[in-house]
Amino acid sequence: MRESQNPYILEMRNIFKSFGGVNALRDVSFQCRPGTVHALVGENGAGKSTLIKILAGALLPDSGEIIFKGQKHQSFSTRKALNSGISVIYQELALVSQMTVAENIFLGREPRKYFGIVDKKRLKIEAKKLLKQLGFEVDMDMEVGEMTVAYQQMVEIAKALSKNADLIIMDEPSAILAGHELDQLFLIIESLKKRGVTIIYISHRLEEVFRIANEVTILKDGQLVGTKPIKDLSRGELVKMMVGRTLEEVFPVSFNQLGNPVIQVEEISTKTILNQVSFNLREGEILGVAGMVGSGRTELARAIFGADPLTSGTIKIKGQDVVFKNPADAIRSKISLVPEDRKYHGLFTKLSILNNITLPILSKISRWGFTDKKKENEIVERERQIHSIDMTSGNQEVQYLSGGNQQKVVLSKSLQTIPEVIIMDEPTRGVDVGAKFEIYQLIRQLNKDGIAILMISSELPEILGLSDRILVMREGKIVAELTPNETNEEMIIEFATTNTQQSVP
């Protein structure tokens, strides 16, 4: 077959790449058809990022070749990749917050008139035209820093289109989106497909892969597991290809007995969004909280943890009324929080693993202002073994850990105060399937030990797979209480997005 008859817009053939003698990619071949969404999945360390960096010109392969639009290349430089029609939208958006929407879209490629002066009128017209293609209208003079993250992502996509991209790589685009914002992203992806643009979609959220992808390629330990049309795979089959376990094994079965109520929340309201919310949480129970972004889930966590003051209502711990003026009061009452954003609210990323884990109990392992280093190291070693934290030493900075290992450090840190209640807000966000399995096992073990868990999650399979009961929130209220064996994802979404309301005890 001649290259001109090649059905693929992209082929990466027999790619090898190693770092310091460690193989990151071993004989990986990868193909994409034009005008399709091709999902690239695998655990952290599977080789996805390395493969994409080679395609984008950020890394050189040790061997192999790339065929793009019929042209053979031994490798790309970043400039050559861009000029060839390959654009990457990374999870960390590459925008200048102090510059306008139009300036960001054409940064470094501004249309100019006489004497090289930037043609601002044409700049705005061209930027507006690109955003209109995406069904998105915004003031071209607005600074990007004033926009929501979802809108910023639309600007990134427009920026890619401005470079005449035939292939757009989206790296975890949904990690910062949910609800209608995610639906808008999928509509844009569909419109890009219709225009013949190819999308490589990298995500840990498998429900998204099944929703938008035409084909999926699975990598594991730097090697190709396989490429299949998404219609030929079930969720269970895909999970097994990624991690070597069945779907049933991913969510450990609960055998625990529920005890007495440890927290009773009675008609609490806040200045933010909560409006007369009531529920109870029992010993050894996992109470799942579902709902769209903006429904009040995180605000509920903050209110219980003492971060947002109540305007009315009461909280009882084991039958006793409590008033938390701040999170320290909640911690003293044996409540711990695993926050939604681990990098900004859960960790000091430039400090060591050791410093992060022992921070909540420094007063207990210090005397006369000196920390007991031996005790500190013993604690970290114990946590490393219990939670399988992949680290070189306790002195390693947290910023150099994978997302899954960072989340394990957050969990370890939260357990140092020996809590009786743990609030987990998006406990597996940005974590690969393998690390999710380990976190699920930890949650089940905590559950078995009698710890009550309030688990907020946007991932409905996670809510259904782990929860003993499910609360659904909408507009600051609990609109339904469900049991996992009597509900499904569609029912949860219906309660979360419509005026349907169930009587909640």
Side-chain angles (χ1 to χ4, degrees), residues 93-108:
L93 302 179
L95 299 171
V96 182
S97 59
Q98 293 82 15
M99 298 181 75
T100 68
V101 171
E103 288 168 343
N104 267 281
I105 289 173
F106 288 103
L107 184 61

Side-chain angles (χ1 to χ4, degrees), residues 82-257:
L82 280 170
N83 291 342
S84 298
I86 298 171
S87 188
V88 186
I89 299 173
Y90 291 104
Q91 188 174 344
E92 301 292 334
L93 302 179
L95 299 171
V96 182
S97 59
Q98 293 82 15
M99 298 181 75
T100 68
V101 171
E103 288 168 343
N104 267 281
I105 289 173
F106 288 103
L107 184 61
R109 300 168 294 109
E110 299 86 352
R112 297 183 182 273
K113 45 188 180 181
Y114 51 84
F115 302 120
I117 297 171
V118 174
D119 189 338
K120 291 187 177 181
K121 184 178 178 181
R122 187 177 156 207
L123 180 76
K124 293 177 187 178
I125 291 171
E126 295 299 323
K128 190 171 185 177
K129 191 186 299 182
L130 286 165
L131 286 167
K132 194 173 181 180
Q133 291 175 21
L134 301 174
F136 181 63
E137 292 189 15
V138 69
D139 182 359
M140 293 298 106
D141 290 320
M142 180 184 286
E143 289 187 4
V144 164
E146 297 174 3
M147 306 174 78
T148 66
V149 176
Y151 281 13
Q152 288 179 11
Q153 196 165 59
M154 303 309 171
V155 175
E156 277 280 21
I157 294 171
K159 187 174 162 184
L161 290 177
S162 75
K163 300 171 184 174
N164 298 314
D166 297 300
L167 186 150
I168 299 176
I169 302 161
M170 296 186 178
D171 186 6
E172 296 286 354
S174 66
I176 49 178
L177 304 178
H180 70 279
E181 295 175 341
L182 194 56
D183 291 335
Q184 180 65 23
L185 174 65
F186 292 158
L187 286 172
I188 288 170
I189 288 173
E190 192 60 36
S191 72
L192 291 173
K193 278 174 60 179
K194 289 177 181 176
R195 295 175 53 193
V197 178
T198 304
I199 309 289
I200 296 177
Y201 193 89
I202 302 170
S203 180
H204 292 314
R205 293 182 174 181
L206 300 189
E207 60 271 23
E208 295 173 10
V209 171
F210 281 95
R211 182 173 170 181
I212 65 167
N214 301 103
E215 291 184 293
V216 57
T217 289
I218 305 99
L219 297 180
K220 184 175 175 59
D221 299 327
Q223 293 182 292
L224 176 70
V225 176
T227 297
K228 288 193 174 186
I230 201 68
K231 62 182 177 62
D232 293 344
L233 280 173
S234 69
R235 180 182 168 87
E237 288 168 337
L238 182 54
V239 168
K240 191 170 184 180
M241 290 177 76
M242 290 172 65
V243 299
R245 305 181 188 95
T246 64
L247 185 59
E248 290 73 22
E249 292 173 308
V250 170
F251 295 109
V253 178
S254 173
F255 296 103
N256 59 302
Q257 296 294 317

Side-chain angles (χ1 to χ4, degrees), residues 344-466:
Y344 289 99
H345 299 136
L347 295 168
F348 292 95
T349 55
K350 292 188 178 180
L351 292 183
S352 69
I353 297 166
L354 184 148
N355 291 150
N356 273 277
I357 289 177
T358 61
L359 185 62
I361 55 166
L362 274 180
S363 60
K364 295 181 180 179
I365 59 173
S366 300
R367 191 174 183 183
W368 310 114
F370 294 97
T371 305
D372 185 336
K373 295 296 182 184
K374 182 180 178 184
K375 183 67 175 175
E376 206 172 25
N377 285 310
E378 286 174 355
I379 290 169
V380 172
E381 178 58 24
R382 181 192 68 206
E383 294 300 311
R384 183 191 68 79
Q385 293 183 22
I386 291 173
H387 305 307
S388 302
I389 302 171
D390 187 5
M391 61 189 196
T392 54
S393 77
N395 294 317
Q396 183 180 359
E397 289 183 17
V398 168
Q399 64 179 323
Y400 298 118
L401 296 177
S402 68
N405 283 297
Q406 286 183 357
Q407 190 69 353
K408 290 176 189 178
V409 172
V410 176
L411 288 164
S412 296
K413 176 185 170 185
S414 70
L415 291 171
Q416 297 310 305
T417 56
I418 315 178
E420 295 177 358
V421 175
I422 300 181
I423 304 167
M424 296 185 174
D425 194 354
E426 301 290 359
T428 62
R429 172 167 287 175
V431 170
D432 69 56
V433 174
K436 280 184 181 181
F437 173 74
E438 293 175 334
I439 291 171
Y440 295 155
Q441 284 185 311
L442 170 62
I443 290 172
R444 276 283 180 242
Q445 184 57 53
L446 295 172
N447 203 212
K448 189 176 178 182
D449 293 340
I451 294 175
I453 297 172
L454 184 71
M455 185 184 72
I456 298 165
S457 178
S458 299
E459 298 200 27
L460 296 185
E462 190 167 276
I463 288 283
L464 290 164
L466 289 174

